Amino acid sequence: MEPLTWTGNLALLNPIFTYVAYAFILAVALQIVASFVFKPAAVGAVMTGTTAAGPKEWIDKLAKYLLLALIVVCLIYLLAGMVMPFGKAGIIGAVSARFAPVWIALFVTFTLSTVYKRRLGLYGKLYDSMIGMIGFGFVMFWVYTAIFVGVFDMIATGDPLSQVSGMKNKLPGTPIRGVDPETCGTSCWYLLGGDNLARDVFSRMVEGSVIVIVIAPFATLFAFMGGITLGLPAGYFGGKLDTFLSFLANLILAFPVILLFYLLVTPEIVQTGIPHYMAMVLFVFPIVFLTVLINSRFYTRPKLRNPLLAGILVLTVWIYLSAISAPGTVIHVLPESMDMFNISSGILVVFVSVVFVNSPTVFRIVRGLALDIQTRDYVAAAQTRGEGPWYIMLWEILPNARGPLIVDFCLRVGYTTILLGTLGFFGLGLPPESPDWGTTINDGRKLLSIYPHPALVPAFALLSLVLGLNLLADGLREESLRD
Amino acid sequence: MGLFILRRVGMMIVTALCLTFIVFFMTNLYPNLEKLAKTQGNFRMSEEAVNSYLTDRGYLQPTPVKYLQWLGVLPGYKQIKEDGTVLGKCVRPGMTADTVPNFCGVLQGDWGWSTVSKAPVGETLGKRLANTAKLMFWVMVVMVPSALVIGVLAGMNEGSRTDRTLSTVSITSTATPEYVSGVIFIALLASTRFGLGPILHEWGWIEGKALFKGTAKTAMDKVTFENFTLPVLTVALYGMGYIARMTRASMAEVMTAQYIRTARLKGVAFRTIVMKHALRNALIAPFTVIMLQFPWLLNGVVIVETLFSFSGFGWQLVNAAGNNDIEMLLAVSVVSVVVVLVTQLISDIGYVYLNPRIRIS
């Protein structure tokens, strides 16, 4: 079988793409020069729509159309890959075809959201900001990829762990040795090449997205629960409690993150069970948060509160116990039959250390917001009404701090992704054959200048996810500031 | 002001003590000590051999006692064997039973003995820090001016095309962790088979096949453009975006201030407004950000030094942590804590000096 080229039968489009790309770069350069040389057309002329446009406006228009043309050519590459028989449209087409379910899901999401955006609150407003939309697109791309890979087992072309002899460090598009071209279907090639252990780079990359997409948002959520549960009282009550908690937070923040990881995640420490004890403490915060949240709201209505609280407590404590107890570790309290799920030790350790590193920062943000908001009139009104402190914190202050917290949540998921990558990069926590992006980058960097593709693919994947989250946060900030 | 600094320094010492105790506790857990014994002795040591190795050298005393010995408050552990050899915390190669000092802690200026590099910690770490200082100097030279220029250019016309373009650039750079940008740089700029190097070589613009070197090993002796560009660029890039965004926000805020409007209405040229009226006020916030950026840079330094195999402070941290080199690790954490807290102090003091509206009693 022939190795795939990048564009396959679409190679006739390549010169067009190159020319358009060069023209676009030239136009942008001209645009920058022009912005220094020419003055913009008079404001009145633009407003009345008369054609008094100067050379600057012409260049702007040119750049815009060239950009559109570039996007159209790129779309043709991707769409043709989905329509043409698998492999005929080259590597790009084949990869695009594998991602077909993701494209469809993205298309549906964006169409529906744009149509109904006026009814969707802050989420709908996101569709007014170009930056926010692009960011959201990147994020949802990886979320859908993780769902389709993790739940439906679709996108990947092969097993992320299986090694095929003779495929070591092979370039992208190399056909797998020894497969029958008639029957192999979609798994005829290593689409993005093979790594130094002859595993499929493409399949590992998409499998890696599952680990990142599962751990990063959850770890951030737990960090937020901890940070909010401690930060609100610290800011609201102040005094000794505040001094003590702030000292602790600053203590953790003064640690270099990587030293902390090395201290927490090495196998010797895991053996002593310290991460498990930390999980025991950190996982309590969501339960405390939920209980206090419900109790402070409904304690005047015991008929509603008692069953609600009991239900929530039973459920969360059960989940809590299943999460922390696992056979073979220091904490094994729940009998096998009651245990809903076991988190593998490596993932638990990584999760705990990431939560631990993130929560002090969240604590500081929440504390600052609480200090700021508690001087507002509606807080004074609630105090005069005789509301309890926890009601004021959780039902008056917290909802009014949601804007900055949502923005920070997006940024922090990105930062958590970076931290997960850092852990993988130093080979800490997750098993060495794990397909997550950090570990794969670490694997690939040894032969980087000879075979760059095994490291570059996960690097760009991680970059696009974090960039998407940052752009999303930026868009959200812009839109939430607008009203 | 004096009282403020005094209080902060006191706080710093308390924090440093707490942190080093945590590090001490974690590194002195039994599995870690066992690993230490096995790497120092041999890997097939039996339980008893490990135990006697650790007992002989005083590793099995209670942790607070060992910690105070490390600080130099208690006399160091010492044991003289039957054959006259002496073992213990203060023992260095070539010492006899009479010349071993009683105290050998941080207070005596002795940072201990690195079990991995077989040398005094102070000496080794000093060399590493000098290397890292070189790296940090160039990072600052690259990062700070470019970040400020980008931030000011973006912030002086909020919402313009320049602003949008530069803001996107800075968001991208904050979204690129060092291990991603480093890998991309090496693959595109330091490879002899891919990226820019071979193309430029074909055109006859450069001598060798690669544009830059993918390792910074040679930079420890002599820094050249070829071997130091990529590490410096990698560290600088991640911090640059953040500082640029802070500068932009602060510049944009200043540009909406009343006195800027007054100046514009008076008919002062835009350039003069930016250079004379806005810039000085807009640079207060970035100053604190730059100072607070140091601890983050430390992280980047660890990654970059590992990636480019440059034996600096970060490389030493990874090396010490990976091999449980207890006293080296403690010294490393002391240094990083001091860096974090001192930069915080400087940023607070600097903020007061730069911004006359704030006074700390």
Side-chain angles (χ1 to χ4, degrees):
Chain A
M1 244 184 329
E2 290 287 301
L4 289 181
T5 54
W6 282 101
T7 47
N9 288 356
L10 290 176
L12 57 140
L13 271 178
N14 292 358
I16 302 176
F17 178 80
T18 325
Y19 289 135
V20 175
Y22 278 134
F24 176 65
I25 293 169
L26 208 67
V28 171
L30 264 179
Q31 223 175 7
I32 294 168
V33 174
S35 71
F36 287 108
V37 177
F38 302 111
K39 287 214 165 4
V43 177
V46 174
M47 278 173 74
T48 49
T50 47
T51 50
K56 186 171 165 14
E57 279 68 29
W58 279 109
I59 296 170
D60 284 356
K61 205 174 260 178
L62 183 72
K64 204 168 110 189
Y65 286 125
L66 281 172
L67 181 66
L68 276 179
L70 204 62
I71 293 173
V72 168
V73 177
C74 290
L75 273 181
I76 293 176
Y77 277 127
L78 293 180
L79 284 176
M82 286 164 64
V83 179
M84 284 160 76
F86 191 77
K88 284 280 180 275
I91 298 173
I92 295 175
V95 168
S96 159
R98 292 309 295 167
F99 277 120
V102 177
W103 301 130
I104 294 166
L106 273 180
F107 181 73
V108 171
T109 315
F110 271 77
T111 323
L112 285 181
S113 309
T114 325
V115 172
Y116 296 111
K117 69 177 172 186
R118 290 287 158 253
R119 298 191 213 159
L120 293 171
L122 181 64
Y123 167 72
K125 267 193 241 152
L126 191 64
Y127 288 83
D128 291 336
S129 137
M130 195 60 195
I131 294 273
M133 257 165 78
I134 295 174
F136 187 66
F138 274 122
V139 175
M140 287 320 282
F141 176 84
W142 288 114
V143 171
Y144 285 133
T145 307
I147 292 174
F148 285 118
V149 173
V151 183
F152 302 109
D153 198 17
M154 285 167 88
I155 296 157
T157 54
D159 182 59
L161 297 179
S162 67
Q163 307 174 345
V164 179
S165 71
M167 294 303 288
K168 191 172 158 183
N169 291 326
K170 282 287 183 272
L171 290 179
T174 313
I176 298 174
R177 177 181 289 188
V179 291
D180 178 13
E182 300 296 318
T183 55
C184 61
T186 54
S187 47
C188 300
W189 298 276
Y190 270 7
L191 288 178
L192 295 178
D195 67 3
N196 61 348
L197 289 173
R199 296 168 299 193
D200 183 10
V201 172
F202 175 72
S203 302
R204 285 178 70 73
M205 187 262 289
V206 291
E207 291 279 348
S209 72
V210 180
I211 297 175
V212 175
I213 291 290
V214 170
I215 296 183
F218 270 103
T220 316
L221 198 65
F222 274 70
F224 262 74
M225 294 281 185
I228 290 174
T229 319
L230 296 177
L232 282 176
Y236 187 76
F237 293 123
K240 288 236 167 58
L241 178 78
D242 182 25
T243 317
F244 174 69
L245 287 176
S246 296
F247 178 75
L248 274 189
N250 288 336
L251 199 66
I252 301 172
L253 287 175
F255 257 115
V257 177
I258 292 168
L259 178 63
L260 203 62
F261 282 157
Y262 262 105
L263 289 179
L264 287 178
V265 183
T266 48
E268 287 79 25
I269 300 279
V270 175
Q271 205 184 324
T272 61
I274 287 181
H276 291 93
Y277 293 121
M278 281 172 65
M280 218 166 79
V281 176
L282 289 173
F283 289 0
V284 169
F285 286 115
I287 302 181
V288 174
F289 178 78
L290 276 179
T291 317
V292 178
L293 188 75
I294 300 295
N295 187 44
S296 63
R297 177 94 203 200
F298 297 115
Y299 73 103
T300 47
R301 285 189 278 167
K303 273 214 183 99
L304 175 66
R305 185 217 28 196
N306 292 348
L308 193 66
L309 211 55
I312 287 180
L313 268 180
V314 168
L315 193 69
T316 48
V317 169
W318 190 17
I319 296 176
Y320 171 76
L321 286 176
S322 325
I324 57 165
S325 117
T329 58
V330 279
I331 307 161
H332 188 196
V333 283
L334 220 54
E336 213 66 37
S337 52
M338 301 263 300
D339 210 342
M340 279 189 286
F341 52 87
N342 283 324
I343 305 173
S344 81
S345 179
I347 290 196
L348 184 76
V349 170
V350 167
F351 191 89
V352 167
S353 49
V354 172
V355 172
F356 187 68
V357 168
N358 265 323
S359 37
T361 330
V362 180
F363 165 84
R364 287 226 290 213
I365 294 169
V366 174
R367 175 180 167 272
L369 285 170
L371 274 177
D372 176 31
I373 292 177
Q374 66 166 321
T375 57
R376 302 286 167 86
D377 287 344
Y378 48 80
V379 175
Q383 282 163 344
T384 325
R385 280 207 306 273
E387 303 283 8
W390 284 101
Y391 178 85
I392 295 175
M393 278 183 245
L394 290 168
W395 291 95
E396 299 281 348
I397 295 180
L398 192 59
N400 285 297
R402 69 180 186 282
L405 285 183
I406 291 173
V407 171
D408 186 69
F409 185 80
C410 289
L411 283 177
R412 203 148 288 285
V413 175
Y415 180 60
T416 311
T417 312
I418 292 181
L419 284 183
L420 286 175
T422 312
L423 277 168
F425 181 78
F426 286 106
L428 294 169
L430 295 165
E433 75 280 358
S434 150
D436 75 295
W437 295 336
T439 314
T440 347
I441 293 174
N442 184 33
D443 259 357
R445 76 184 165 95
K446 281 145 209 157
L447 290 171
L448 199 52
S449 53
I450 314 167
Y451 303 110
H453 58 273
L456 277 185
V457 171
F460 277 114
L462 195 140
L463 174 58
S464 65
L465 176 60
V466 180
L467 181 63
L469 285 161
N470 274 279
L471 292 176
L472 178 62
D474 215 52
L476 281 175
R477 181 185 300 137
E478 221 167 76
E479 292 304 317
S480 67
L481 280 181
R482 199 165 279 176
D483 51 22
Chain B
M1 192 71 192
L3 197 69
F4 168 74
I5 294 178
L6 209 67
R7 207 187 300 148
R8 289 297 294 265
V9 171
M11 198 67 186
M12 214 165 97
I13 294 171
V14 174
T15 314
L17 283 178
C18 288
L19 274 183
T20 45
F21 185 75
I22 295 172
V23 177
F24 202 87
F25 174 76
M26 298 292 259
T27 47
N28 274 286
L29 287 168
Y30 191 75
N32 268 336
L33 290 178
E34 194 181 336
K35 184 176 156 199
L36 178 81
K38 285 187 175 168
T39 44
Q40 290 305 307
N42 69 59
F43 279 97
R44 293 205 202 100
M45 266 182 171
S46 64
E47 281 291 310
E48 294 87 55
V50 167
N51 216 328
S52 75
Y53 178 94
L54 293 175
T55 321
D56 282 351
R57 283 158 186 77
Y59 281 116
L60 294 184
Q61 303 169 82
T63 308
V65 174
K66 278 186 288 181
Y67 181 66
L68 291 176
Q69 286 176 2
W70 175 76
L71 275 182
V73 182
L74 289 184
Y77 182 85
K78 192 155 72 171
Q79 192 194 18
I80 300 165
K81 295 277 236 185
E82 296 91 42
D83 55 349
T85 52
V86 59
L87 296 170
K89 190 193 171 304
C90 301
V91 182
R92 305 282 176 269
M95 279 183 178
T96 57
D98 322 317
T99 54
V100 173
N102 268 335
F103 289 89
C104 56
V106 175
L107 291 178
Q108 283 80 31
D110 187 345
W111 288 91
W113 180 257
S114 162
T115 46
V116 174
S117 55
K118 310 274 181 233
V121 166
E123 197 181 290
T124 319
L125 199 61
K127 260 186 266 166
R128 306 286 184 235
L129 277 173
N131 278 341
T132 296
K134 244 190 303 190
L135 180 64
M136 285 297 243
F137 171 75
W138 286 109
V139 167
M140 284 290 156
V141 166
V142 172
M143 182 175 79
V144 174
S146 53
L148 291 183
V149 167
I150 290 179
V152 168
L153 281 181
M156 70 187 192
N157 275 321
E158 200 186 353
S160 66
R161 188 192 320 263
T162 333
D163 176 26
R164 269 179 289 150
T165 319
L166 289 177
S167 294
T168 315
V169 169
S170 41
I171 290 182
T172 315
S173 96
T174 42
T176 320
E178 292 88 354
Y179 51 89
V180 168
S181 52
V183 159
I184 294 174
F185 281 148
I186 294 180
L188 294 184
L189 301 176
S191 165
T192 50
R193 296 174 54 171
F194 298 94
L196 272 183
I199 300 175
L200 291 181
H201 179 73
E202 208 169 288
W203 292 352
W205 288 16
I206 49 169
E207 282 282 308
K209 277 249 173 152
L211 200 53
F212 297 108
K213 282 211 170 100
T215 78
K217 267 187 192 138
T218 47
M220 283 173 281
D221 308 320
K222 189 170 175 295
V223 171
T224 62
F225 185 66
E226 205 185 18
N227 61 21
F228 222 43
T229 308
L230 292 188
V232 168
L233 216 57
T234 311
V235 186
L237 197 68
Y238 188 52
M240 193 186 76
Y242 189 66
I243 300 177
R245 293 183 73 181
M246 290 296 149
T247 318
R248 175 191 171 274
S250 140
M251 186 74 188
E253 201 192 321
V254 169
M255 289 304 279
T256 59
Q258 295 287 339
Y259 61 87
I260 300 289
R261 192 194 294 173
T262 314
R264 294 196 90 158
L265 292 177
K266 275 197 309 193
V268 182
F270 187 67
R271 183 170 309 212
T272 325
I273 293 178
V274 171
M275 299 300 279
K276 282 211 167 146
H277 298 72
L279 207 55
R280 194 187 301 176
N281 288 304
L283 289 184
I284 296 173
F287 171 76
T288 34
V289 176
I290 291 169
M291 277 298 143
L292 295 177
Q293 197 70 19
F294 266 96
W296 293 106
L297 286 181
L298 213 62
N299 252 332
V301 162
V302 179
I303 294 171
V304 164
E305 286 180 359
T306 313
L307 187 59
F308 289 92
S309 34
F310 181 74
S311 311
F313 177 75
W315 181 87
Q316 188 63 58
L317 189 159
V318 172
N319 188 7
N323 296 306
N324 202 36
D325 191 348
I326 297 175
E327 287 177 338
M328 179 61 90
L329 211 49
L330 285 166
V332 164
S333 49
V334 170
V335 171
S336 45
V337 169
V338 168
V339 168
V340 171
L341 299 177
V342 165
T343 47
Q344 273 176 12
L345 186 67
I346 295 177
S347 93
D348 284 358
I349 297 171
Y351 196 69
V352 175
Y353 271 108
L354 287 175
N355 193 347
R357 278 169 296 188
I358 292 177
R359 280 280 168 263
I360 294 168
S361 55

